Amino acid sequence: MVAQAPSGKKPLPDMMTSIRIDKSGQVEIVDQLLLPHSVVWIPISTPEEAFEAIKSMKIRGAPAIASLAALSLKSSLSSASLTNEFSSTTDAAQWVKEKCDYLQSSRPTAVNLSEAMNRIRQYLNTTITEKDTKESVIDNVREICQDVHEEDLERNMQMGKLGADWLFAKRGGKKDKLKVVTVCNTGSLATSGYGTAIGVITALYEHDQLDTAYYAQTTPYHQGSRLTSLELTTLEIPSCMICDTMLGSLFQHEDIDGVIVGADRVVKNGDTANKIGTYQAAVLAQRHNIPFMVIAPVTTIDLSLETGKEIHIEQRPSIEATQVRGLNTETGKLSVVRITPEGVGEGDKPWQRVYNPSFDVTPAELISCVVTEKGVAERKDGEKSIDVSSIC
């Protein structure tokens, strides 16, 4: 799995990727539910196939699911049999709008997906004229879809540099190398390449400024222990896995220089929705006076929401917290095992309930800075919000 740079540029060596496109234009995703023990590529040709892959978390990561949604639209619109069914420009535009609505409903918390679909809607609602043919409209939508995918890698590399420079300037005065912590998976498996928070870690490593990257397992889906571990070991970056409950102990016993996380949605005041467990990491980081950084592209910023209280938090199926998939060391095959008593998460008794939100919201007052490809917005001392509009 090698990440291809945009527009046929030189490939990034030794880096994982969540999406690949072959010479014929076929889009494929790696089934992340099976990683790291099995690499299975799944062809995606329609919005329906993309929806299922996103909803089931075969692909995850806010930038990656936006890319896949857009690419699935492009693939469908490349089918002559489909486009021939459109009787007019209006007919084609209506079909695209309906598919945008459908795809956006697959993961409601991740704003990158809605931003990508809104770009397409904006073109359809404001740019089309009477002179446009259905063929020209389809071509323009396909171009927008490709742009959504290609823009991601370049901005990730810029964020990596900005974030690494900021943290090293903040903490590197007396140290040559830094110790950092991250949660979930924010590397090339969650994006189109390089990553957001992992991009900062990679940039530090590339400039010989990294001592160790600690990464939390991030249960119940184990994005850290399955995916971040795979990326960091592939890149041979000095790293150490910790259980989610070990963050406090780590902060007590190691001189940690920064906590670096990604985001699924950053709202106007800087409040940030990210993978469950981010909030507790931020609380502990503030207790230990450790800088807490959010790394996210401009497409993740949502200025339409004033505070994090307005963010819709997706609730995942109980089974995801009661069962775990892994490699059976005796048979050498993948297995799914239950880790709770039978009935937990399945029955309707008061003692069988499971609380399983996919995300939590970290208040801006716990965040040191938000980094996008356009700059770094710091929280001023004593302030409880961050002006993220300055980096949009």
Side-chain angles (χ1 to χ4, degrees), residues 126-145:
T126 64
T127 310
I128 296 177
T129 68
E130 294 180 357
K131 296 180 180 180
D132 287 308
T133 64
K134 68 175 184 179
E135 289 78 13
S136 66
V137 168
I138 289 170
D139 286 343
N140 288 335
V141 170
R142 292 177 69 246
E143 184 176 347
I144 295 171
C145 290

Side-chain angles (χ1 to χ4, degrees), residues 60-312:
R60 23 69 53 204
I65 64 177
S67 287
L68 180 63
L71 289 173
S72 73
L73 270 176
K74 180 186 176 184
S75 293
S76 283
L77 291 172
S78 300
S79 168
S81 60
L82 172 65
T83 57
N84 287 337
E85 293 179 7
F86 300 141
S87 59
S88 64
T89 299
T90 301
D91 192 23
Q94 184 59 34
W95 183 91
V96 173
K97 290 178 184 178
E98 290 176 358
K99 294 304 178 184
C100 286
D101 293 344
Y102 171 68
L103 286 164
Q104 186 173 330
S105 69
S106 61
R107 293 299 299 275
T109 304
V111 73
N112 304 61
L113 177 56
S114 61
E115 190 277 339
M117 298 301 99
N118 284 338
R119 285 173 65 177
I120 298 168
R121 292 189 191 101
Q122 183 177 20
Y123 162 71
L124 295 174
N125 292 333
T126 64
T127 310
I128 296 177
T129 68
E130 294 180 357
K131 296 180 180 180
D132 287 308
T133 64
K134 68 175 184 179
E135 289 78 13
S136 66
V137 168
I138 289 170
D139 286 343
N140 288 335
V141 170
R142 292 177 69 246
E143 184 176 347
I144 295 171
C145 290
Q146 187 64 30
D147 288 345
V148 167
H149 176 59
E150 290 196 349
E151 290 165 0
D152 188 44
L153 174 59
E154 294 177 357
R155 63 184 171 221
N156 288 343
M157 297 184 77
Q158 177 66 9
M159 286 188 294
K161 179 181 183 305
L162 289 171
D165 288 348
W166 183 89
L167 184 60
F168 197 76
K170 202 81 170 175
R171 301 284 284 198
K174 298 180 181 179
K175 310 173 68 172
D176 292 330
K177 297 185 178 183
L178 306 183
K179 295 180 179 181
V180 299
V181 172
T182 192
V183 300
C184 196
N185 171 252
T186 60
S188 52
L189 287 171
T191 64
S192 296
Y194 207 74
T196 55
I198 292 294
V200 175
I201 292 171
T202 302
L204 287 170
Y205 173 67
E206 289 174 334
H207 290 87
D208 201 28
Q209 296 172 336
L210 180 71
D211 180 301
T212 305
Y214 295 89
Y215 57 96
Q217 284 185 319
T218 316
T219 58
Y221 244 87
H222 291 267
Q223 289 99 328
S225 50
R226 293 190 302 108
L227 306 178
T228 298
S229 61
L230 178 60
E231 291 184 338
L232 294 178
T233 55
T234 299
L235 293 169
E236 298 184 351
I237 291 177
S239 53
C240 178
M241 187 185 78
I242 62 171
C243 296
D244 300 346
T245 52
M246 296 174 183
L247 276 169
S249 175
L250 182 73
F251 292 167
Q252 284 180 324
H253 297 290
E254 292 288 344
D255 185 19
I256 301 300
D257 297 290
V259 178
I260 312 171
V261 303
D264 286 81
R265 189 180 297 251
V266 181
V267 300
K268 191 174 183 178
N269 73 338
D271 291 353
T272 297
N274 193 48
K275 183 54 58 183
I276 193 73
T278 302
Y279 172 54
Q280 65 190 29
V283 171
L284 287 166
Q286 187 173 81
R287 171 68 178 83
H288 292 271
N289 198 31
I290 299 170
F292 189 93
M293 307 172 64
V294 172
I295 317 298
V298 167
T299 53
T300 304
I301 308 296
D302 183 2
L303 299 180
S304 72
L305 302 183
E306 294 290 334
T307 74
K309 292 180 180 179
E310 301 173 63
I311 300 175
H312 171 73

